[in-house]
Amino acid sequence: AVGVVVAVSTPWRPPSPPHGLRVNQALHCVGFRQELEMTELMRQVEKLLRNTETCRLAIEVSSVKVVGKTKKARCLAIVTNWEHQKEIAVLHVKASRLGKLAIATVFPILNDFRFKLKDNLQFEIHLPSMGSDVLHMEAQTEEDLRTFTAEIFRAMNMAREENFQWVGETHRWVIAYDSRWAKRQPPQAVPAPAPVLMPAAETGSRISSTLPTLVEGAMLRAAGPTAVSGVDNVELESIVQSKMNRTQSDNDVFRKMTLQRNDLEAREDWIRRKMKLREAEFTETKTVRVLLATYNVNGKKPGEDISGWLHVSEKPDVYAIGFQEIVDLTAQNVLFDDPTRCKPWEDQLIKTLGNDYAQVLSKNLVGVYLSVFVKHQHIPHIRDLQSDSAGIGLMGMMGNKGAVAIRFTFYDSSFCFICAHLSADRASSEGRNQGYHDILRRVTFLNDENASGGNCELLNHDVVFWMGDLNYRISLPDDEVREKIAEGDIKYLLEYDQLTMEKKAGAAFVEFTEAPITFPPTYKYDTGTNQYDTSEKQRPPAWCDRVLWKKGCKVTPVTYGRHELLTSDHKSVSSLFNCDIKVIVEEKRRQTHQQILRMLDTMENEAMPNIEVDRNMINLMDVKYGVPISQSITIENVGQIVAQFSFIPKLEEKRFCKTWLTVVPEFGMLTPGEKQVIRFTIFVDNITARQLNNLEDTLDEILILHLKNGRDYFITVSGKFHRSCFGSSLEQLCRTPDPVRVSNAAHFTKQLSLPKELWRMVDYIYTFGMDQEELFLISGDPLEMAHIREALDTGTEFEAFRVHSMAETLVQFLESLVEPIVPYKLYLRCLDSSQSCERCRQILIDLPPVHYSVFVYMIAFLREVLKHKEKNRLTAENLGG
């Protein structure tokens, strides 16, 4: 019972999508590249963290645990908890077999944390009191090592001052990333060691001669008097004070480095944009043939010859082959994905295509699989290989439905292939439309070395193909569809094809086009036959299986058709294209680049920059929980030269704005007369809502817009937050008799037994949704959920909302609580007591009164839900998981 409530009260993270890359390939794909900016690496680490933690620093390192063996690319990240900012940990990150970054080990920085610098950029990390292994690493550059060492010594010094001794007493949050810490016992007293720096005379190390005074000062403060020999106390005090005075300028140095980096990035971004405009001057066109093939195999293994599906008269240069339902979509397969299940079909593809092709990358998500093959002669011209996936199934995140994507640069054109399996609801296209937009939003890649940093979205490629079982149906009765198929009236049926209608209505796939369909519908057949469905369900035939490409691409379709394979209840589909791709002529490119640089230098040398800001105040009066709200300003270069702008941190701050505010773009460059729109977005998440509800923070910020070699502009951003029950505590809500927007709890002396907002949501589900299929397992409508939150905060009556929207709002409400139903302080006891009923009862007794009441209420409700399992198809396992 305790496990069920904990699962409901804490955010669930889906398993990483599987992938068969080697570690070094995966590290390259997710951004471990030598030229990548450190800030981008930090962004990738942030994706691994909960919203309660943040990454302060991340550097690329190499593992050197076994001398003489190949070094493996790794990442070390310094992470802190927002609530307990003095609690810091080092995350050891690597690329997993599944092709994603994964946290391998966590080292909380306690008072016996050991950090030892060695020679040749190498160092060791160890935590003796917790029985951790020694981590042997090598930094990539001296600059990385200097920065990392300085941050480590600061954290060690803080750990000594706070006397951090063991996980559980402090640093409980690291258990979420490395469960082994929950099992470690409190240590015996261990003297805090001094950091060790090998002297240059002994090692000849490059490090000892190049570490700056910043690191020396941090080391002295962390090590204490015993680390320095031959120095008396007075002299030592003088040295330490001198070093500490120098480190007072750390924030100024950081601010200066940020400005320099932003200036450089803005300049390079402007040059890239100008080069893009003049691209035709230094590129030639090459035509390649690309074949896309898609097949929903209905969980079947290969059993027939597929050469007719894949072979064409003139061999393509590139194959992109996608499968759906490559495994049965059972609960076990969805929850415990195994990429080796794709191997039978992968082996069949390799055998069918023969020795002329090499598989450059593959990716799968449960039953969705995509593989790209290229002729051997083109392999030297493939680079920037990356893959990603997005589950959009149960609860909007599970992999029973979703998409996988592969992108790469082919010669000098960027390609992106998407293989998708959308929802199968015949009556409505809304779920499929939403799935399309979710995939566009959630699947992203790192920009390649020729881009301006940040993430690259699906549509931001020269050539984009989208294929798969899109599940759009024909909006006609079954008998009429079959009659028109028999008559060969394809044109009539296409008028009622849902995908065609949704594109015309602007609801989905408006960015894509499709070759003319001249073949009969590809679904649903009796398996092993060419006979449409004769089962009791009599599913009407439909063109579920499609191949599309992005409008504007230099793509010409050659063939588009189906193939009469009998393995599945779908027919396979393929489409052959001629694609015009770019090939850069390097000498012409160099000449164009030099011309642009000379033009830029001339403009920069003429005068001082000057911009005009149309307004300096952003005031958003209607800020609500979970709803982003934006306003924009426009800046214009009214001077005679190039103006480089960037938002910079205030003194003694590292971020230029608070976490609830997003500014796009953060920096840029404007030529004379050029304008730039800057968008400011306020988004109140769980952490911000808790601070605002408790009056610990306000939506007020002053931003500094800095002009290189010019003046600073000050922009005020403010917002009025409408108080919400989301981000509140159970105790607060029980002391509030009226809706939170209008309540005056000071005049209320009694206390409710449980929050009225919780009762309203549970009562709605109890009244209208106990028999709803897959209750709590299907995502709600975001717009409806916003209306539900508003009704809870204002006390207005519920409209006729969908039960799934109410159920997801209930889960969101529980996630947003300041303290979960089972408080954080009892988590370790819950883990230790999971095998003892008596100890679990004692935990319930120890719950605070309001938490106990809510616990009993929720368990009673969940039991009532399970009484309707014959209709809602829920079990205790999938409800708790």
Side-chain angles (χ1 to χ4, degrees):
V2 173
V4 171
V5 175
V6 170
V8 173
S9 301
T10 55
W12 175 82
R13 299 175 70 88
S16 299
H19 193 272
L21 287 178
R22 287 184 173 182
V23 168
N24 289 339
Q25 288 176 302
L27 289 171
H28 179 82
C29 289
V30 297
F32 278 18
R33 300 185 305 212
Q34 190 171 358
E35 69 272 21
L36 196 64
E37 288 293 333
M38 184 185 299
T39 53
E40 185 58 47
L41 188 56
M42 290 171 64
R43 292 190 192 102
Q44 297 305 309
V45 174
E46 287 276 0
K47 293 181 179 180
L48 304 176
L49 304 180
R50 306 178 303 176
N51 57 12
T52 53
E53 282 77 50
T54 186
C55 177
R56 296 177 56 173
L57 176 69
I59 63 168
E60 182 185 353
V61 296
S62 299
S63 173
V64 290
K65 185 174 182 179
V66 181
V67 178
K69 288 200 173 184
T70 303
K71 298 177 181 178
K72 297 182 179 180
R74 296 286 190 265
C75 166
L76 290 181
I78 298 178
V79 172
T80 187
N81 179 271
W82 281 110
E83 186 176 357
H84 306 285
Q85 295 193 14
K86 293 185 178 181
E87 296 181 5
I88 300 172
V90 177
L91 269 58
H92 173 209
V93 180
K94 64 180 181 180
S96 68
R97 292 188 307 106
L98 307 180
K100 289 284 189 177
L101 289 186
I103 298 172
T105 320
V106 179
F107 290 83
I109 299 183
L110 306 178
N111 61 2
D112 69 321
F113 180 93
R114 295 190 179 182
F115 178 79
K116 182 177 181 180
L117 287 170
K118 305 180 73 175
D119 57 342
N120 298 324
L121 300 176
Q122 295 182 11
F123 58 92
E124 295 177 356
I125 290 176
H126 184 32
L127 194 57
S129 65
M130 304 302 284
S132 69
D133 296 328
V134 179
L135 202 61
H136 304 264
M137 291 293 169
E138 179 179 317
Q140 297 297 304
T141 66
E142 293 179 357
E143 178 62 27
D144 283 353
L145 185 57
R146 284 198 297 268
T147 308
F148 185 80
T149 304
E151 288 294 326
I152 284 293
F153 282 133
R154 288 194 190 95
M156 293 173 64
N157 191 37
M158 192 178 302
R160 287 167 53 87
E161 292 174 354
E162 299 294 326
N163 195 26
F164 293 152
Q165 294 191 24
W166 62 284
V167 174
E169 182 179 66
T170 62
H171 292 78
R172 294 184 182 181
W173 52 274
V174 304
I175 298 173
Y177 304 104
D178 192 344
S179 60
R180 292 174 294 179
W181 292 112
K183 304 174 184 177
R184 303 287 169 90
Q185 297 298 318
Q188 301 298 320
V190 178
V196 179
L197 182 64
M198 299 290 287
E202 293 180 341
T203 63
S205 168
R206 292 180 292 154
I207 299 301
S208 55
S209 60
T210 57
L211 282 174
T213 56
L214 174 64
V215 175
E216 295 170 358
M219 186 178 67
L220 283 169
R221 295 197 305 277
T226 58
V228 184
S229 59
V231 183
D232 61 31
N233 289 338
V234 175
E235 184 179 357
L236 176 62
E237 184 177 349
S238 174
I239 294 173
V240 172
Q241 186 61 47
S242 172
K243 302 297 185 181
M244 292 181 68
N245 289 338
R246 293 187 214 179
T247 59
Q248 296 300 319
S249 62
D250 287 355
N251 286 324
D252 293 336
V253 173
F254 181 86
R255 186 171 181 264
K256 184 177 180 180
M257 290 173 61
T258 301
L259 289 175
Q260 292 172 346
R261 184 179 68 246
N262 289 348
D263 290 345
L264 180 61
E265 290 178 354
R267 179 186 175 91
E268 292 302 317
D269 179 66
W270 185 86
I271 294 172
R272 271 189 287 267
R273 286 189 284 130
K274 294 302 178 184
M275 290 290 288
K276 185 71 175 178
L277 292 175
R278 297 179 60 176
E279 197 173 64
E281 299 178 20
F282 54 85
T283 57
E284 297 177 349
T285 300
K286 176 184 180 69
T287 300
V288 295
R289 292 167 67 85
V290 179
L291 188 137
L292 279 86
T294 178
Y295 192 13
N296 183 322
V297 296
N298 195 27
K300 302 295 191 300
K301 296 288 192 298
E304 58 181 323
D305 183 15
I306 60 172
S307 58
W309 173 38
L310 301 178
H311 288 171
V312 292
S313 57
E314 184 178 344
K315 289 187 175 182
D317 298 280
V318 179
Y319 276 97
I321 305 169
F323 291 93
Q324 306 82 47
E325 296 190 41
I326 204 165
V327 296
D328 290 327
L329 300 182
T330 62
Q332 181 177 359
N333 285 339
V334 171
L335 292 174
F336 304 102
D337 197 8
D338 182 1
T340 61
R341 296 172 182 149
C342 306
K343 194 172 188 308
W345 280 106
E346 189 173 79
D347 291 343
Q348 181 84 339
L349 294 179
I350 295 172
K351 178 181 177 182
T352 302
L353 297 182
N355 296 326
D356 293 335
Y357 294 89
Q359 183 185 41
V360 295
L361 196 59
S362 65
K363 181 75 173 176
N364 85 292
L365 173 67
V366 188
V368 183
Y369 172 81
L370 175 62
S371 187
V372 175
F373 294 82
V374 176
K375 279 185 176 179
H376 285 286
Q377 69 196 61
H378 297 303
I379 292 298
H381 304 287
I382 296 280
R383 64 181 187 275
D384 305 319
L385 277 162
Q386 296 181 49
S387 64
D388 199 11
S389 61
I392 59 170
L394 300 179
M395 294 301 295
M397 60 181 69
M398 294 295 285
N400 58 309
K401 292 291 188 290
V404 295
I406 291 175
R407 65 91 58 205
F408 54 86
T409 301
F410 190 34
Y411 289 85
D412 296 294
S413 291
S414 57
F415 276 69
C416 182
F417 298 97
I418 305 102
C419 179
H421 190 189
L422 303 184
S423 65
D425 181 12
R426 181 179 183 274
S428 172
S429 296
E430 291 182 6
R432 291 181 280 277
N433 296 345
Q434 185 61 46
Y436 165 75
H437 292 290
D438 286 344
I439 292 167
L440 279 184
R441 175 174 55 86
R442 292 168 53 189
V443 174
T444 58
F445 307 97
L446 289 173
N447 269 324
D448 60 34
E449 70 273 13
N450 294 318
S452 57
N455 286 336
C456 174
E457 299 177 352
L458 282 182
L459 297 179
N460 192 22
H461 292 82
D462 297 320
V463 181
V464 182
F465 290 105
W466 190 305
M467 63 179 168
D469 180 1
L470 307 186
N471 255 321
Y472 286 95
R473 308 307 173 92
I474 299 174
S475 297
L476 289 172
D478 176 55
D479 54 352
E480 186 175 358
V481 174
R482 294 178 189 246
E483 178 184 341
K484 293 298 180 180
I485 293 174
E487 296 172 359
D489 197 349
I490 301 298
K491 182 178 180 181
Y492 176 82
L493 291 177
L494 284 171
E495 294 178 4
Y496 297 92
D497 170 61
Q498 290 178 352
L499 178 54
T500 303
M501 293 190 294
E502 296 301 319
K503 286 176 61 181
K504 288 181 179 178
F509 288 96
V510 293
E511 300 87 354
F512 287 83
T513 188
E514 185 178 17
I517 293 179
T518 59
F519 50 88
T522 58
Y523 175 83
K524 175 184 187 332
Y525 286 85
D526 292 337
T527 302
T529 74
N530 287 316
Q531 175 68 44
Y532 284 113
D533 187 18
T534 60
S535 68
E536 292 182 3
K537 294 186 177 180
Q538 288 280 302
R539 294 181 180 86
W543 285 287
C544 292
D545 310 281
R546 314 290 275 265
V547 178
L548 303 93
W549 71 94
K550 188 182 76 168
K551 294 176 181 177
C553 298
K554 295 181 179 180
V555 167
T556 303
V558 179
T559 64
Y560 188 26
R562 57 175 256 175
H563 303 268
E564 306 307 315
L565 298 181
L566 303 177
T567 298
S568 171
D569 55 358
H570 289 249
K571 296 300 180 184
S572 58
V573 171
S574 68
S575 187
L576 180 65
F577 298 90
N578 286 332
C579 300
D580 292 337
I581 62 174
K582 298 175 293 187
V583 180
I584 291 177
V585 180
E586 194 56 42
E587 179 59 28
K588 292 182 179 179
R589 180 186 182 280
R590 186 183 60 80
Q591 293 174 1
T592 304
H593 188 262
Q594 289 178 346
Q595 292 172 8
I596 292 173
L597 286 179
R598 284 195 294 269
M599 177 181 66
L600 179 58
D601 290 341
T602 300
M603 290 188 293
E604 285 181 331
N605 292 332
E606 284 184 353
M608 293 289 291
N610 185 26
I611 65 171
E612 188 175 273
V613 183
D614 65 347
R615 57 185 175 137
N616 59 7
M617 294 189 66
I618 298 291
N619 194 4
L620 298 166
M621 298 302 296
D622 195 22
V623 181
K624 298 175 182 177
Y625 168 85
V627 180
I629 182 170
S630 302
Q631 279 189 15
S632 299
I633 66 171
T634 301
I635 62 175
E636 180 181 3
N637 185 351
V638 295
Q640 301 300 313
I641 65 165
V642 169
Q644 296 183 21
F645 68 89
S646 61
F647 288 91
I648 62 173
K650 295 182 279 292
L651 289 175
E652 301 184 359
E653 293 186 9
K654 290 191 175 182
R655 286 179 55 91
F656 72 85
C657 68
K658 295 182 180 179
T659 56
W660 46 261
L661 179 62
T662 303
V663 181
V664 178
E666 299 177 6
F667 58 85
M669 175 183 286
L670 299 174
T671 54
E674 191 173 2
K675 296 182 179 180
Q676 173 72 61
V677 176
I678 301 177
R679 187 175 73 254
F680 300 83
T681 301
I682 294 179
F683 180 76
V684 176
D685 58 12
N686 289 340
I687 294 177
T688 304
R690 294 164 189 167
Q691 296 170 342
L692 296 174
N693 284 331
N694 292 329
L695 303 180
E696 297 172 357
D697 197 4
T698 59
L699 297 180
D700 295 293
E701 178 66 296
I702 297 177
L703 305 182
I704 303 174
L705 177 60
H706 174 75
L707 201 61
K708 182 182 178 182
N709 298 325
R711 55 170 289 196
D712 288 342
Y713 300 79
F714 297 91
I715 299 174
T716 301
V717 180
S718 61
K720 181 180 179 181
F721 176 66
H722 293 283
R723 191 176 174 218
S724 177
C725 60
F726 290 78
S728 299
S729 69
L730 291 174
E731 288 78 7
Q732 285 175 320
L733 295 175
C734 287
R735 290 195 300 267
T736 307
D738 300 317
V740 294
R741 296 268 178 89
V742 298
S743 178
N744 185 1
H747 300 293
F748 186 66
T749 57
K750 297 182 180 180
Q751 179 167 298
L752 302 174
S753 59
L754 53 87
K756 57 197 170 302
E757 294 84 0
L758 177 63
W759 178 87
R760 289 187 66 188
M761 288 184 284
V762 170
D763 180 68
Y764 188 96
I765 297 172
Y766 183 83
T767 305
F768 300 107
M770 301 297 278
D771 294 335
Q772 178 68 51
E773 281 193 22
E774 297 184 319
L775 182 64
F776 289 105
L777 300 181
I778 295 180
S779 296
D781 180 86
L783 184 60
E784 281 192 346
M785 292 169 62
H787 287 312
I788 293 171
R789 292 195 299 266
E790 186 69 9
L792 292 172
D793 290 338
T794 60
T796 56
E797 294 293 328
F798 285 148
E799 300 173 15
F801 298 121
R802 281 180 281 188
V803 175
H804 291 303
S805 298
M806 188 65 69
E808 187 170 355
T809 305
L810 172 59
V811 175
Q812 188 182 72
F813 170 80
L814 295 173
E815 289 177 350
S816 75
L817 292 173
V818 174
E819 189 84 12
I821 299 176
V822 176
Y824 293 121
K825 64 182 181 181
L826 296 179
Y827 274 22
L828 291 176
R829 285 183 57 190
C830 289
L831 292 173
D832 294 338
S833 306
S834 59
Q835 305 299 319
S836 170
C837 292
E838 186 58 36
R839 294 171 71 181
C840 286
R841 291 192 188 96
Q842 185 59 46
I843 290 175
L844 295 182
I845 293 172
D846 292 342
L847 288 176
V850 172
H851 290 249
Y852 179 84
S853 298
V854 174
F855 179 92
V856 173
Y857 182 71
M858 288 302 301
I859 289 298
F861 168 64
L862 295 176
R863 285 178 174 173
E864 193 65 29
V865 169
L866 292 176
K867 289 181 181 179
H868 295 253
K869 62 183 179 182
E870 294 298 328
K871 294 184 177 180
N872 60 33
R873 297 185 179 180
L874 290 176
T875 64
E877 288 76 14
N878 60 24
L879 184 60

